[in-house]
């Protein structure tokens, strides 16, 4: 049987649809729990609705990037697998790299050579096993992270905030550095994204444009993508 027939078959859609449904249930459950917690700590309904709206708008930009990655995976490993993997993990670079590593193990170059059933199996196993560590860590360590935070910060909320901000800056700096040093279109897109974001922040802060500020990330991502593609 052809590999892409297997990848896009009804059994694969059913198998991949089950975990996606689980993720949807989790998202709805977390949203309800967060809403209930906000009510308990004294947040008004308007504040909670504003937070939900802001979060939804901010997620548009990153979602477009994930969608573009899904399109490339859809061609190479089929629709169900691309849909399932990027719904669960959402790391475009990891999924593409893992799939390529899996197919390379059996002599198939992803996106170049014809996909075989063996290569498809290797790609799927590599993508799944490679992300098990994240799932296990979150499952067994998430409930202990509060104690770790308290120990590191010494119950000092200001110190904890500084550590959290430094960690976020460090992570995004490391991710950006890998693109900047390549001196290619990825580098251009990275610089353009930073410049557009800086300009948008200045404009929205100066003119107190709160509604537009929520779109800054989306505008920066899409703007840099479109300009780089046109160059």
């Amino acid at each position: 049987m052809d590999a892409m027939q297997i990848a896009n078959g009804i059994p694969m859609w059913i198998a991949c649809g089950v975990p996606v449904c689980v993720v949807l249930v989790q998202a709805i459950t977390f949203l309800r729990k967060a809403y209930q917690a906000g009510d308990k700590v004294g947040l008004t309904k308007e504040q909670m609705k504003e937070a939900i709206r802001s979060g939804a708008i901010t997620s548009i930009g990153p979602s477009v990037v994930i969608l573009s990655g899904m399109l490339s995976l859809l061609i190479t490993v089929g629709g169900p697998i691309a849909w399932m993997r990027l719904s669960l993990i959402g790391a475009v670079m990891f999924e593409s790299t893992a799939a390529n590593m899996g197919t390379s193990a059996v002599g198939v170059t992803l996106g170049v050579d014809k996909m075989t059933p063996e290569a498809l199996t290797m790609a799927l196993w590599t993508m799944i096993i490679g992300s098990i560590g994240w799932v296990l860590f979150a499952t067994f360590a998430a409930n202990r992270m509060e104690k770790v935070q308290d120990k590191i910060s010494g119950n000092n909320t200001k110190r904890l905030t500084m550590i959290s901000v430094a960690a976020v800056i460090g992570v995004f700096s490391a991710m950006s550095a890998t693109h900047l040093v390549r001196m290619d279109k990825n580098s251009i897109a990275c610089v353009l994204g930073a410049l557009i974001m800086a300009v948008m922040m200045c404009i929205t802060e100066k003119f107190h444009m709160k509604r537009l500020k929520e779109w800054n990330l989306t505008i920066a991502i899409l703007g840099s993508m479109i300009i780089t593609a046109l160059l």
Side-chain angles (χ1 to χ4, degrees):
M1 190 174 182
D2 183 73
M4 296 313 293
Q5 287 182 322
I6 298 173
N8 292 298
I10 297 299
M12 189 66 78
W13 278 108
I14 295 173
C16 293
V18 172
V20 172
C21 290
V22 172
V23 171
L24 289 173
V25 172
Q26 286 180 324
I28 294 171
T29 302
F30 291 155
L31 181 61
R32 290 180 58 193
K33 293 291 184 181
Y35 199 87
Q36 292 171 0
D39 191 43
K40 290 180 180 179
V41 299
L43 293 176
T44 64
K45 291 184 178 180
E46 288 71 23
Q47 288 175 318
M48 290 187 283
K49 288 179 180 178
E50 184 70 16
I52 293 171
R53 190 180 63 83
S54 298
I57 293 174
T58 305
S59 69
I60 293 175
S63 297
V64 172
V65 178
I66 293 174
L67 178 61
S68 64
M70 181 181 290
L71 294 176
S72 63
L73 277 179
L74 187 148
I75 297 171
T76 53
V77 297
I81 296 173
W83 175 51
M84 182 266 291
R85 292 302 303 169
L86 293 178
S87 295
L88 270 65
I89 305 299
V92 178
M93 294 178 61
F94 168 79
E95 301 300 338
S96 301
T97 304
N100 189 45
M101 290 175 63
T103 57
S104 297
V106 290
V108 175
T109 302
L110 195 68
V112 177
D113 300 326
K114 183 180 179 180
M115 182 68 75
T116 64
E118 184 181 20
L120 177 65
T121 304
M122 290 296 293
L124 189 54
W125 274 110
T126 305
M127 294 160 77
I128 293 173
I129 294 175
S131 59
I132 283 179
W134 308 341
V135 178
L136 292 178
F137 182 84
T139 301
F140 296 106
N143 62 335
R144 296 178 175 84
M145 291 308 296
E146 186 175 354
K147 295 180 180 179
V148 174
Q149 289 179 352
D150 292 339
K151 189 172 183 179
I152 293 175
S153 63
N155 292 321
N156 188 322
T157 55
K158 291 184 178 179
R159 184 185 300 172
L160 180 60
T161 301
M162 292 173 63
I163 293 172
S164 300
V165 171
V168 172
I169 292 174
V171 170
F172 280 99
S173 297
M175 293 174 62
S176 300
T178 58
H179 295 289
L180 290 171
V181 298
R182 294 166 69 174
M183 301 302 291
D184 55 9
K185 284 196 171 184
N186 284 4
S187 305
I188 296 174
C190 190
V191 173
L192 282 174
L195 291 174
I196 294 173
M197 189 67 176
V199 171
M200 291 302 302
M201 287 295 293
C202 290
I203 293 174
T204 52
E205 287 290 338
K206 183 176 181 179
F207 297 100
H208 306 287
M209 304 169 71
K210 184 179 179 181
R211 295 293 186 187
L212 181 60
K213 187 176 182 180
E214 296 172 347
W215 291 89
N216 283 354
L217 180 61
T218 300
I219 293 171
I221 292 175
L222 294 180
S224 59
M225 288 174 59
I226 293 171
I227 295 173
T228 304
L230 294 174
L231 294 178

